[in-house]
Amino acid sequence: MTRNRRRNTPAAPAVTAAERPDLSFTAFHQLNRPSYVRYAETYLRHRQDAEEAIDSAFEHLLRTWDEVLLTENPAAYAWTIMRNKVIDHARARTRRPPLIDEAAFNTVALLGAVDPIGQITESLALFRALRLLTDRQQDVMVMIYLQGMNAPKVAAVLGMTSATVRSTVRHSLRRLREILGPDRTMEGQR
């Protein structure tokens, strides 16, 4: 007669609740990582650098996730962490602070330009003017005009309402008109 005996095999290591990511963090990560990487790539100009910066941001967010959830606006808080990590990453690579000047050479307006040199000059002036906007205005304008995102998606990523995104675009365009003059804004580059 044979008995069914359990072998003395080591049990799989137990994963404690502290070691397991919160489901809300996992969902937040899956929802936002692509947009974060795309944004970081706009500034860092290299996919690998962008992914490293974003992974660093998400590691920080995971370590502090309980505190993040207690903030008034977790998405906006997470965006700030991500944005700072991108800037830190650029500085650590001994680059100048994140630039968008190179984006001037890769715009839709340039592709169809009758005068490419004139278009480059105009685009460079526009990107320099963008630097004079607030961080929030820059982020919204980059996402809307350079990345082609719509207001609801930008709102979700930045932790604001679609109305706030539209208002930010309106105020940013007004400020750009003040800086550049009424005929030279991003409205024509969509």
Side-chain angles (χ1 to χ4, degrees), residues 39-45 83 86 98-100 138-139 142:
Y39 178 88
E41 201 170 9
T42 299
Y43 285 96
L44 298 171
R45 296 179 298 278
R83 191 176 205 286
V86 169
L99 302 173
I100 38 183
Q138 286 179 33
D139 293 344
V142 165

Side-chain angles (χ1 to χ4, degrees), residues 15-31:
V15 177
T16 66
E19 296 171 326
R20 189 177 323 120
D22 183 289
L23 287 178
S24 63
F25 176 81
T26 302
F28 182 84
H29 178 269
Q30 290 174 349
L31 182 66

Side-chain angles (χ1 to χ4, degrees), residues 105 110 113-124:
F105 297 100
L110 182 59
V114 175
D115 176 17
I117 300 301
Q119 184 60 53
I120 289 171
T121 303
E122 188 173 314
S123 294
L124 285 171

Side-chain angles (χ1 to χ4, degrees), residues 162-178:
S162 291
T164 301
V165 169
R166 290 188 298 274
S167 173
T168 302
V169 168
R170 195 171 48 255
H171 291 290
S172 300
L173 289 172
R174 184 180 315 131
R175 177 72 177 122
L176 289 172
R177 277 188 212 97
E178 291 170 3

